[in-house]
């Protein structure tokens, strides 16, 4: 489709016939006269010839040139937005949830085109994202929203607070453009009704299907996963289980297939994994679906523990309810893998938990093996019983495998120390793992083993009876712990094993895992700290300093879903972990409906292309051809070859003929200081590198006397490195290793004073896995061919800490990582009275880190930061320190160890004192 910005200029095309007649009349037709003397001129050649009429093809060329100019000035636009022009305010609404992540760039591109259209029409605009907390809607110029729109990202939860948004809409009328994720959400109809009362509503929907993955369920020895979608045609998806391998590197552990029948809303897949592999799985994801809703994190509900249950007496045939291990097996069989055998048989199997039910005597070899196993992180859970009460175990002195010393005998109704009546349980204290569990009134204790009063008894008691006597005690041994329940594991001494509280207490001790989703009561009384959180694309990152949440709040979120203050991720309390996923077991996936009269459009942005420049250029070319053609017709150009030579002289720039591309790049690199980055082959990564150096160059312009030119990319195989003082080299897992010739150039660059900053960009995980990240391994491979001197973590007195700013931290998008520089002279010493060593011998040729500095520096062409850093104001402070470190690096490259001179020490001491 073609449109014109000033269509009235097209009336000029009417003048083309008149122009045609005028051109044919010039030159005028000759008049014939008979003159006999003309015979004397026969045979002579006239050097100046004049045509008797203009050739038709030349007339056509001139007419086309004039027509192209007229049409060009009328402002033709190819593929313009075909919608009725509005005049009032415009509200652009983005759902901004997990379902938008599947095509978020297309949504932003379409929204930007709408902003541009509104700007051309002079309309004010407001943009809201429904995953944000409601705030007043303010209409501004369209240009004011461009940078903010680019910084928006989808969130790892569904849009919420529709009713609150509807209450704060402006009173005046406005039109609305709603970028919907295509799903129906609770309360959405309230906002929809409010928008319809304000003006026209246009909905923009994506044709791509929405897929969601529900949490994994362990049943019948297999992991079952369910994927959901809106009913549509048949579809097939791959399901991937990911987790760390034995070396700690995250990788694909298993794969399955999902098949959706036509119009089916759900599809199931089962994975049969051995326990060792199953316990390594940290997440399931739908391959090719870039969305947090297509990811399901795993927690304790999937990681079934291996538990050994050993009784102190032989099972009584025909009397299962009296067996000391009966209730334990009933509680644990559905949720754990039980290991059978004696103590000497089960320890080599390395179970997670060993339960001893009324076991009093162990051989020295068994005691030593069991103690070693506990020290390495095992949980030993012991239950009392007649054998333990009658033994001398842990009487005179505390046994290493008992949490407390025991009194002689026990305590029972009708005995020497009779209670008179059964005792109930006291409320669990706040520091107990059982805190928050409700205690049924019918749970009573009739007999128990008593603990000797000791100074440590109070802190080791995690459950007690109403009279204060310990019911459960615990002691830590190395990385493990020993827990003693002072009653039997069957109903002989208490009714506890008959209640649901017994199973809940086992679960709180991390003995068992719950196959079903925990509820608010299960999580109550505990603070759950996020360990990993997801973004809207389903990418995990470290939770950083996000505050913990109460168990009740987390329990509600497991039903209603995550939200602005409670992101999707993995939450932990003591040894327990709970995954808060975007999609729950009962999360509805239903299609959104729109009221009659709503205009529905797609999100594909057909880019409008202005043709004015093309047509005016074509007009200029045709007029130039007209000049050449006129010369040729008049005989002033003797041949076609000479005409072609003149055309080449006119239209081919001299510089383009005289210089090869590499020479042009070399000249540009020598115009001033140019920061360069190494092309990795990853287009997205290279764009981030360019944006990062652009942002750092802008800061150098603003704060220092250094005025860098536009950053350049470097091809290690073809480009000369001699023109650049600094190279930023981001490391990607699949980056190719340089050739021998490239290594020679790199080593020459390092030896002649150049600096390379290697950035593995894995500072969020590198501290957990050392050099085992894919980026770290790639860096080791690349660095093996470089002439790199010995390195050390940057010392506090290194000149980089003061080359422009005084710094002690060197963060990028990630903070806290180690920064490596050339090792200083071990014999360098501080001068008397000076705080810094004398390090006046050269610039470190390499800096190695994992902070992702380019992302922290990166800005778009408008100077707006492209990536978030940290949280809130603290994140902006971190970005500022990152800029300062980048400036220090460049000043260090350009000035060397100038700031290490002792003459600068007084000024530095004065600054440090401030």
């Amino acid at each position: 489709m073609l449109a014109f910005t000033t269509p009235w200029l097209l009336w000029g095309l009417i003048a083309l016939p008149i122009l045609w007649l005028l051109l044919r009349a010039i030159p005028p037709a000759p008049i014939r006269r008979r003159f006999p003397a003309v015979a004397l001129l026969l045979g002579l050649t006239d050097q100046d010839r004049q045509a008797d009429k203009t050739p038709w093809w030349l007339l056509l060329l001139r007419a086309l040139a004039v027509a192209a100019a007229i049409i060009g000035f009328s402002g033709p636009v190819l593929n313009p937005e075909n919608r009725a022009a509005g005049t009032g305010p415009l509200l652009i609404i983005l759902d901004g949830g997990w379902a938008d992540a599947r095509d978020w760039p297309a949504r932003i591109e379409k929204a930007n085109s709408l902003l541009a259209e509104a700007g051309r029409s002079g309309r004010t605009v407001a943009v809201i994202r429904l995953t944000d907390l409601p705030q007043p809607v303010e209409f501004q110029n369209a240009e004011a929203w461009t940078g903010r729109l680019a910084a928006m990202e989808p969130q790892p939860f569904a849009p919420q607070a529709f009713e609150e948004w509807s209450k704060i809409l402006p009173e005046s009328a406005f039109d609305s453009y709603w970028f919907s994720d295509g799903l129906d959400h609770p309360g959405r109809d309230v906002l929809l009704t409010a928008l319809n009362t304000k003006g026209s509503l246009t909905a923009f929907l994506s044709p791509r299907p929405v897929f969601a993955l529900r949490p994994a369920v362990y049943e019948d020895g297999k992991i079952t996963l369910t994927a959901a979608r809106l009913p549509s045609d048949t579809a097939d998806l791959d399901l991937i289980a990911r987790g760390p391998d034995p070396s700690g590197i995250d990788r694909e552990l298993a794969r399955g297939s999902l098949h959706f029948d036509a119009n089916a809303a759900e599809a199931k897949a089962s994975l049969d994994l051995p326990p060792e592999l199953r316990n390594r799985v940290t997440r399931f994801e739908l391959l090719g679906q870039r969305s947090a809703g297509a990811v399901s994190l795993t927690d304790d509900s999937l990681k079934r523990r291996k538990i050994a249950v050993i009784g102190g007496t032989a099972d009584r045939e025909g009397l299962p309810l009296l067996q000391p291990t009966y209730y334990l097996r009933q509680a644990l069989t559905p949720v754990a893998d039980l290991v059978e055998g004696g103590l000497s048989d089960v320890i080599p199997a390395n179970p997670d938990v060993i339960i001893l039910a009324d076991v009093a005597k162990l051989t020295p070899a068994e005691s030593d093996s069991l103690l070693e196993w506990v020290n390495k992180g095992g949980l030993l859970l012991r239950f009392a019983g007649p054998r333990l009460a009658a033994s001398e175990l842990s009487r005179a002195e505390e046994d290493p495998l008992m949490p407390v010393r025991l009194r002689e005998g026990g305590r029972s109704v009708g005995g020497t120390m009779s209670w008179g009546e059964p005792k109930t349980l006291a409320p669990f204290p706040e520091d107990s793992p059982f805190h928050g569990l409700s205690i049924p009134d019918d749970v009573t204790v009739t007999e128990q083993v008593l603990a000797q009063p000791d100074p440590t008894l109070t802190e080791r008691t995690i459950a007690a009876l109403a009279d204060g006597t310990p019911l459960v005690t615990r002691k830590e041994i190395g990385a493990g712990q020993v827990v003693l329940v002072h009653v039997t594991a069957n109903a002989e001494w208490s009714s506890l094993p008959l209640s649901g509280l017994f199973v809940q207490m086992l679960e709180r001790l991390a003995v068992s895992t719950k196959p079903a989703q925990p509820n608010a009561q299960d999580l109550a009384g505990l603070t759950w700290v996020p360990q990993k959180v997801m973004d809207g694309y389903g990418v995990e990152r470290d939770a950083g300093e996000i505050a913990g949440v109460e168990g009740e709040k987390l329990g509600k979120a497991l039903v209603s879903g995550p939200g602005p203050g409670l992101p999707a991720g993995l939450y932990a309390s003591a040894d327990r972990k709970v995954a808060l996923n975007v999609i729950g077991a009962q999360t509805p996936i239903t299609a959104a409906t729109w009221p009659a009269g709503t205009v529905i459009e797609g999100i594909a942005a057909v880019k409008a292309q202005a043709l004015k420049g093309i047509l005016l250029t074509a007009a200029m070319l045709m007029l130039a051809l007209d000049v050449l053609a006129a010369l040729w017709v008049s005989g002033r150009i003797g041949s076609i070859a000479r005409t072609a030579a003149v055309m080449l002289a006119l239209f081919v720039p001299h510089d383009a003929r005289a210089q090869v591309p590499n020479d042009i790049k070399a000249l540009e690199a020598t115009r001033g200081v140019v920061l360069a980055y190494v092309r990795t082959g990853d287009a997205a990564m290279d764009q981030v590198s360019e944006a990062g150096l652009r942002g750092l160059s802008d800061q150098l312009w603003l704060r220092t006397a250094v005025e860098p030119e536009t950053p350049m990319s470097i091809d290690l195989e073809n480009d000369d490195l001699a023109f650049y003082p600094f190279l930023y080299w981001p490391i990607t897992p699949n980056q190719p290793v340089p050739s021998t010739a490239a290594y020679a150039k790199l080593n020459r660059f390092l030896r002649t004073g150049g600096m390379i900053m290697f950035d593995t960009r894995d500072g969020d995980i590198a501290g957990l896995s050392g050099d085992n990240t894919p980026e770290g391994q790639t860096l080791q491979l690349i660095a093996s061919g470089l002439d790199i001197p010995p390195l050390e973590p940057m010392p506090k007195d290194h000149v980089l800490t003061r080359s422009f700013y005084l710094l002690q931290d060197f963060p990028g998008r990630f903070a806290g990582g180690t920064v490596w520089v050339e090792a200083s002279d071990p014999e360098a010493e501080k001068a008397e009275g000076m705080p810094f060593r004398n390090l006046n011998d050269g610039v470190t040729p390499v800096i190695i880190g994992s902070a992702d500095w380019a992302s922290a520096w990166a800005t778009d062409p408008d100077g707006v930061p492209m990536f978030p850093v940290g949280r809130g104001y603290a994140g902006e402070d971190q970005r500022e320190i990152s800029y300062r470190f980048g400036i220090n690096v460049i000043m260090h490259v350009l000035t060397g160890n100038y700031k290490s001179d002792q003459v600068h020490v007084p000024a530095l001491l004065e600054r440090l004192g401030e």
Side-chain angles (χ1 to χ4, degrees), residues 417-442:
M417 301 179 66
S418 175
W419 293 341
E421 60 181 14
K423 295 297 181 182
T424 58
L425 276 62
F428 300 116
E430 291 186 2
D431 58 351
S432 169
F434 311 131
H435 178 68
L437 295 179
S438 60
I439 302 174
D441 296 333
D442 58 349

Side-chain angles (χ1 to χ4, degrees), residues 285-306:
E285 59 186 42
L286 298 177
L287 184 63
Q289 303 302 313
R290 192 166 177 251
S291 161
V295 174
S296 178
L297 302 179
T298 65
D299 53 18
D300 293 341
S301 63
L302 187 63
K303 295 174 175 59
R304 290 165 56 95
R305 291 176 172 249
K306 291 193 298 185

Side-chain angles (χ1 to χ4, degrees), residues 5-200:
T5 56
T6 52
W8 59 270
L9 287 177
L10 295 176
W11 287 102
L13 295 175
I14 299 177
L16 286 180
I18 302 175
L19 178 65
W20 181 278
L21 295 175
L22 289 175
L23 291 176
R24 288 189 60 84
I26 301 173
I31 301 174
R32 296 180 177 273
R33 293 284 188 270
R34 294 184 177 276
F35 185 57
V38 174
L40 299 175
L41 302 178
L42 295 176
L44 298 180
T45 302
D46 189 359
Q47 298 296 328
D48 295 327
R49 293 183 298 174
Q50 185 172 1
D52 62 343
K53 61 180 180 179
T54 304
W56 69 268
W57 53 268
L58 187 56
L59 288 175
L60 180 61
L61 180 64
R62 292 172 179 174
L64 290 176
V66 174
I70 293 173
I71 297 174
F73 283 116
S74 66
V77 179
L78 185 64
N79 298 322
E81 291 285 347
N82 185 23
R83 64 169 51 85
T87 56
L90 174 64
L91 177 63
I92 297 178
I93 306 165
L94 300 167
D95 275 352
W98 62 268
D100 277 354
R102 68 191 192 275
D103 43 23
W104 184 256
R107 295 173 185 270
I108 295 300
E109 183 180 0
K110 183 68 172 182
N112 275 320
S113 69
L114 296 177
L115 281 178
E117 180 186 353
R120 290 192 296 267
S121 302
R123 305 181 70 179
T124 56
V125 182
V127 180
I128 64 174
R129 184 175 56 177
L130 297 179
T131 48
D132 294 332
L133 295 175
Q135 51 191 329
V137 178
E138 297 182 0
F139 291 101
Q140 302 177 18
N141 291 333
E143 293 79 7
W145 288 102
T146 303
R148 281 179 277 180
L149 188 63
M152 290 185 180
E153 293 289 346
Q155 299 300 305
F157 45 84
Q160 302 172 4
F162 291 94
E163 186 172 353
E164 288 77 4
W165 277 110
S166 66
K167 293 178 180 178
I168 60 175
L169 293 176
E171 296 293 336
S172 58
F174 55 85
D175 295 332
S176 302
Y177 291 161
W178 191 335
F179 286 81
S180 172
D181 58 16
L183 301 179
D184 192 17
H185 302 286
R188 174 180 164 275
D189 54 336
V190 177
L191 179 59
L192 196 59
T193 302
L195 293 174
N196 275 317
T197 62
K198 298 295 183 179
S200 65

Side-chain angles (χ1 to χ4, degrees), residues 213 222-225 237-245 249-258 269-287 296 298 302:
L213 186 61
K222 295 182 179 181
I223 302 173
T224 301
L225 293 113
L237 293 176
D238 284 340
L239 174 70
I240 292 178
R242 300 190 65 89
D245 62 10
I249 299 176
D250 183 75
R251 64 177 65 251
E252 179 182 329
L253 301 179
R255 179 179 293 223
S257 298
L258 288 160
S270 296
L271 298 176
D272 188 3
L273 303 179
E276 292 78 7
L277 190 60
R278 184 180 66 236
N279 289 341
R280 289 185 179 277
V281 176
T282 59
R283 57 187 273 153
F284 295 96
E285 59 186 42
L286 298 177
L287 184 63
S296 178
T298 65
L302 187 63

